[in-house]
Amino acid sequence: MCSHDCPDSCGVLVTVDDLTGRAIKMQGDPSHPVTRGFLCGKVAKYLDRVYSPDRLLYPMRRKAGVPKGALAKGHEAEAFERITWDEALDEIAARLQQIAAEHGPESILPYSYAGTIGQLGYGSMDRRFFYRLGASQLDRTICSSAGGVALSSVYGIRLGTVPEDFIHAGLIFAWGANIHGNNIHLWPFIEEARRRGARLVVIDPYKTRTAALADEHLVINPGTDAALALGMMHVILRDGLEDREYIARCVHGFDELRAHALDSRHAPEAVAKATGIDAATIERLARAYATAGRNGSRPAAIRLNYGTQRSEYGGTSVRAIAMLPLLTGAWQYKGGGLQLSTSGAFPWAENKLRMPELMQASPLGRAARMVNMNRLGEALTAPDAGVGGPPVKALFVYNSNPAAVAPNQNDVLRGMRRDDLFMVVHEQFFTDTADYADIVLPATTFLETKDVQGAYGHQYAQLSQQAIAPLGEARNNVRLFGELGRRMGFTESCFDDREDELIDQTLGEGSPWFKGITRETLEREGRIRVAMPVDANGDTLPFSTADWFRTPSGRGEVVPVPVFRAPTESRAHATEYPLEFLGRKADNYMNSTFANIPTHQRMEAKTAGILEMHASDAAPRGIASGDEVEIFNARGSIRLHAQVNGQVGQGVVSARLEWNKLTAGGANINTLTSERLTDIGGGATFYSALVEVRRI
Ligand SMILES: Nc1nc2c(c(=O)[nH]1)N[C@H]1C(S)=C(S)[C@@H](COP(=O)(O)OP(=O)(O)OC[C@H]3O[C@@H](n4cnc5c(=O)[nH]c(N)nc54)[C@H](O)[C@@H]3O)O[C@H]1N2
Ligand SMILES: Nc1nc2c(c(=O)[nH]1)N[C@H]1C(S)=C(S)[C@@H](COP(=O)(O)OP(=O)(O)OC[C@H]3O[C@@H](n4cnc5c(=O)[nH]c(N)nc54)[C@H](O)[C@@H]3O)O[C@H]1N2
Ligand SMILES: [Mo]
């Protein structure tokens, strides 16, 4: 299965040549109920990545005297010398031991995110290793923590409408969700619903592929989603369109929310001012939303995605939107409800896999300090690590490319340039991050390792077989950290566990939703649907009854009421930097992954190096399409070529992620983004950034 960080978690069939052991073909598994036989554009061309001549195949060490810094693509190996795995592991173990002895183990910081979202690859032996070492803990907040915590605050568990049920919806909102670009396997279900008469409404400040294909696109001002949701509630409650019977059974705090939503601040005219969406549209959509599903009509489904919560008050936005189906009772209808994440469907035994109790056996003898990954720049450059405690003296990066994807890039790179920082990077390629390493280690791709995986966009647990032998001397994350544990002298037998044992452990808590799901059954069947409760019709309808909620009150919690605030980094507060910057993902990359592969670069050629602008912002600055422009704020500046088109509204400019070393100036859009955290969940605020633009 595909282990990239995507809600679709596809089943993949790999054809391997017996003679050479080489993978020669990849296709979507036709028997997988969500993959349905096709792959996204980027993974369809995956073999170009696996067999790229640029793959990192051997451990390497920075040559003596070569200073840290960005390297030109294709010339990275010149700064390094090849060493054996034994040499690499011995040197890493010796350096980590010495740093731990001198500065305390918390001066060592692991940094990883979602290069793979397999249970083993994402977090298993690596966690055991760093817990036992007493290293700082990393709070993995760069993607979804604001929305995740917000959704849980309302429902107590991350569940939602499953993709297969979207065909039954009559009204679908793609809310901060670029379905066609980021979540393509939901698209056929939406198309099926539309053939049956459904309308698709996109709420997004950017005209995505999804928006271009929709029935209606609402160009919302960034960071104002809570206002829109409250405006919809206002109309629904003012007109008495709520489902009182459902609310009585399933909602806690309704009267308070009702009074709040009915406040004149949330009347359509006021909301129109904040959101940029006109009052008549808000009225019409709120009524259509509330009445869908009534009297035998098809229900309303919201595909809320994480775009909405990458904003200063993104947690509040998600809470407000998540409350809409609680007012209308949309959860009661097949195809109704909301999907942000389905990850709560999988009761993994994560503590067995990761063993946090090992922190007690570490030299610290207690839980180590937590470092928020969105504050990497501060942690590496502020003397007290920006978070209290010892300065960071060692950084161990795997499953991530922070030099390109972390916010406030100038601080991150300044930190990585420190020659007193010992840095290890486990990677498939010479990324922007690997350029700064003391030691680089080669990592496997998902074809080269065995794992087990759930999904955050469907409900199938799946086993991923190893299709081919690791290329060169690549090792997977499990073997790397197991072996390194041994080198460090850790004697616990858990460092000997291999993939099969780890799979058994993470499946092994006997939870009813994992009934019948074992390594053996998964080996046989490939994937198995999680055994969630079904109603009298055999349907799984989350939150249709009070039994589903996992909140303290046992119902959907709409208190504390969501209060709309405009982000401080928004036009509402703009002074020197009047434009809102949307630093987006590419439709054919995966964050920074694939950006170095020529096949994928060709798919994104049109979006390379451009800043998209609205005519009314370009004209007063004397900017025309094709002009070179500087985009800047107090954090830094980058150069791109303007494209004045209809992709963004007035006051918003947009550009996409790229590897730093593939840009003209050696720096990407995260030069402009902020380390500020979201209101809930300590999340990243990539979509709250103010800039100014000038023609060069
Ligand atoms: N092709 C491709 N697929 C991917 C990825 C990729 O990089 N490329 N990344 C994967 C990852 S890591 C994730 S987390 C998921 C993310 O999936 P999504 O959540 O869909 O990700 P984004 O593209 O960050 O955001 C979605 C949309 O939100 C919009 N947006 C920004 N600010 C606001 C706002 O204030 N309000 C509203 N309503 N919309 C806003 C953006 O313009 C964007 O079009 O996709 C995964 N799939
Ligand atoms: N401006 C801006 N910044 C963003 C975003 C945005 O929309 N705009 N999106 C944010 C989001 S949602 C996310 S999730 C983060 C993503 O941040 P990351 O998780 O860092 O994502 P990638 O850029 O895909 O980098 C993953 C790296 O892991 C490597 N890798 C893959 N598999 C393995 C493996 O098995 N072992 C090891 N050791 N390495 C492996 C890949 O080669 C790749 O270089 O970026 C965030 N940054
Ligand atoms: Mo993400």
Side-chain angles (χ1 to χ4, degrees):
M1 58 178 310
C2 175
S3 71
H4 281 287
D5 183 5
C6 167
D8 299 358
S9 283
C10 286
V12 179
L13 300 181
V14 182
T15 307
V16 180
D17 183 305
D18 270 349
L19 236 55
T20 59
R22 202 179 154 95
I24 49 177
K25 187 175 163 195
M26 275 177 66
Q27 62 195 115
D29 186 344
S31 74
H32 189 295
V34 178
T35 307
R36 302 212 297 186
F38 78 98
L39 294 173
C40 66
K42 52 200 177 305
V43 176
K45 302 286 186 196
Y46 206 69
L47 294 179
D48 290 352
R49 177 176 171 82
V50 173
Y51 293 111
S52 161
D54 297 339
R55 270 290 294 274
L56 252 170
L57 298 176
Y58 310 100
M60 293 197 210
R61 174 171 51 209
R62 177 173 297 278
K63 285 183 185 159
V66 176
K68 295 185 181 181
L71 300 166
K73 175 139 194 311
H75 296 274
E76 297 95 338
E78 295 162 18
F80 290 82
E81 61 197 1
R82 184 173 164 185
I83 53 175
T84 65
W85 265 101
D86 274 335
E87 289 172 298
L89 293 169
D90 284 342
E91 180 163 340
I92 295 167
R95 291 293 302 269
L96 293 182
Q97 269 157 350
Q98 174 219 331
I99 289 167
E102 213 168 302
H103 305 278
E106 284 172 305
S107 62
I108 299 165
L109 179 66
Y111 190 99
S112 75
Y113 200 61
T116 159
I117 59 170
Q119 281 293 300
L120 314 191
Y122 178 77
S124 62
M125 195 63 83
D126 54 315
R127 306 299 162 96
R128 291 179 184 181
F129 175 81
F130 290 110
Y131 290 152
R132 175 66 183 77
L133 179 59
S136 286
Q137 301 187 73
L138 186 75
D139 202 2
R140 290 177 173 78
T141 47
I142 201 166
C143 172
S144 61
S145 62
V149 174
L151 186 71
S152 299
S153 77
V154 179
Y155 292 96
I157 182 170
R158 297 179 200 186
L159 290 180
T161 314
V162 297
E164 298 95 312
D165 282 353
F166 272 74
I167 61 172
H168 302 294
L171 176 62
I172 300 169
F173 285 155
W175 201 319
N178 180 11
I179 298 167
H180 203 281
N182 295 349
N183 174 201
I184 185 72
H185 292 84
L186 180 58
W187 189 254
F189 298 107
I190 289 177
E191 281 295 280
E192 173 70 25
R194 294 173 86 185
R195 278 195 290 279
R196 300 172 181 209
R199 275 175 64 75
L200 174 66
V201 179
V202 171
I203 303 169
D204 197 310
Y206 185 88
K207 189 173 172 188
T208 58
R209 301 212 286 227
T210 317
L213 293 164
D215 297 292
E216 190 171 354
H217 176 200
L218 309 183
V219 182
I220 190 169
N221 293 335
T224 65
D225 302 84
L228 179 59
L230 284 160
M232 289 175 65
M233 289 183 203
H234 182 97
V235 174
I236 292 167
L237 296 166
R238 182 198 66 198
D239 295 356
L241 297 174
E242 72 274 19
D243 183 337
R244 298 208 183 115
E245 188 274 328
Y246 176 83
I247 290 168
R249 275 193 291 125
C250 295
V251 179
H252 170 76
F254 171 70
D255 291 339
E256 221 180 299
L257 179 65
R258 182 170 189 279
H260 176 66
L262 286 175
D263 187 285
S264 61
R265 273 178 295 170
H266 305 127
E269 298 71 30
V271 168
K273 228 176 258 151
T275 59
I277 299 169
D278 66 84
T281 304
I282 296 167
E283 293 266 357
R284 172 171 55 80
L285 280 175
R287 277 197 291 270
Y289 177 74
T291 53
R294 304 277 164 84
N295 307 316
S297 68
R298 292 172 172 276
I302 299 174
R303 178 47 164 131
L304 173 63
N305 214 333
Y306 288 109
T308 312
Q309 48 101 66
R310 303 192 207 294
S311 187
E312 279 174 32
Y313 297 105
T316 298
S317 290
V318 167
R319 288 189 70 242
I321 297 162
M323 290 171 190
L324 288 168
L326 289 176
L327 298 185
T328 63
W331 293 111
Q332 301 166 99
Y333 313 108
K334 191 171 178 164
L338 174 143
Q339 186 195 100
L340 174 61
S341 171
T342 59
S343 63
F346 303 91
W348 306 111
E350 256 154 26
N351 283 345
K352 284 196 180 170
L353 197 57
R354 300 178 180 170
M355 305 181 65
E357 67 275 15
L358 286 169
M359 282 190 280
Q360 306 306 323
S362 77
L364 271 185
R366 58 166 168 84
R369 72 167 168 197
M370 189 70 90
V371 175
N372 188 314
M373 70 191 298
N374 296 321
R375 290 259 164 92
L376 179 63
E378 201 179 333
L380 293 180
T381 55
D384 68 345
V387 285
V392 174
K393 291 286 183 182
L395 182 68
F396 200 130
V397 181
Y398 56 104
N399 276 350
S400 185
N401 183 13
V405 303
N408 198 6
Q409 182 171 107
N410 277 331
D411 274 7
V412 171
L413 298 183
R414 196 153 58 82
M416 287 184 179
R417 265 193 297 270
R418 277 174 41 200
D419 51 24
D420 69 327
L421 178 75
F422 176 62
M423 186 163 152
V424 180
V425 177
H426 185 223
E427 249 302 346
Q428 298 162 348
F429 289 94
F430 255 113
T431 58
D432 289 321
T433 306
D435 282 356
Y436 290 80
D438 292 283
I439 294 195
V440 185
L441 303 170
T444 48
T445 67
F446 72 79
L447 269 64
E448 299 154 58
T449 184
K450 186 172 183 177
D451 212 323
V452 68
Q453 190 171 318
Y456 56 96
H458 62 68
Q459 46 188 350
Y460 294 88
Q462 310 178 78
L463 194 86
S464 190
Q465 295 289 4
Q466 181 179 338
I468 57 172
L471 266 63
E473 295 180 1
R475 289 194 187 170
N476 70 21
N477 300 2
V478 168
R479 300 291 171 101
L480 163 62
F481 287 105
E483 193 56 37
L484 200 52
R486 284 280 167 259
R487 299 287 163 134
M488 297 286 289
F490 302 159
T491 51
E492 291 83 356
S493 63
C494 65
F495 291 100
D496 291 330
D497 288 345
R498 294 289 172 94
E499 292 76 8
D500 281 351
E501 282 104 56
L502 292 168
I503 292 171
D504 290 341
Q505 288 158 11
T506 191
L507 287 169
E509 217 125 75
S511 155
W513 291 11
F514 268 170
K515 188 165 182 282
I517 303 184
T518 63
R519 182 161 52 87
E520 290 72 28
T521 55
L522 285 173
E523 299 265 11
R524 212 164 45 236
E525 295 169 42
R527 83 200 62 85
I528 302 177
R529 193 176 203 262
V530 172
M532 287 200 284
V534 291
D535 66 11
N537 302 319
D539 293 326
T540 295
L541 297 182
F543 311 117
S544 54
T545 63
D547 304 339
W548 284 89
F549 298 92
R550 296 286 181 275
T551 52
S553 69
R555 286 186 283 168
E557 300 201 345
V558 297
V559 280
V561 295
V563 176
F564 168 65
R565 290 185 187 85
T568 54
E569 295 239 3
S570 79
R571 272 166 288 172
H573 299 109
T575 48
E576 282 165 274
Y577 307 113
L579 298 170
E580 292 190 61
F581 180 69
L582 267 188
R584 302 178 64 264
K585 306 176 194 311
D587 286 343
N588 299 290
Y589 301 160
M590 171 66 54
N591 300 306
S592 77
T593 302
F594 297 103
N596 60 320
I597 308 294
T599 311
H600 298 78
Q601 289 169 347
R602 281 193 289 277
M603 296 189 236
E604 284 293 339
K606 271 204 218 143
T607 62
I610 62 163
L611 179 78
E612 298 180 291
M613 296 186 81
H614 191 265
S616 64
D617 296 316
R621 292 173 176 79
I623 294 168
S625 283
D627 287 349
E628 191 178 13
V629 290
E630 181 186 17
I631 306 103
F632 59 99
N633 60 22
R635 291 178 287 269
S637 107
I638 58 172
R639 289 180 178 203
L640 295 167
H641 285 90
Q643 191 150 309
V644 183
N645 58 22
Q647 295 299 103
V648 288
Q650 183 176 0
V652 177
V653 295
S654 178
R656 67 148 170 85
L657 273 173
E658 182 65 277
W659 273 21
N660 297 327
K661 60 176 125 178
L662 297 176
T663 67
N668 78 5
I669 55 176
N670 279 321
T671 304
L672 302 165
T673 56
S674 151
E675 276 175 283
R676 188 183 167 119
L677 304 179
T678 51
D679 55 343
I680 296 175
T685 53
F686 291 112
Y687 298 152
S688 295
L690 286 173
V691 297
E692 178 55 291
V693 177
R694 68 175 183 90
R695 187 165 160 231
I696 296 173

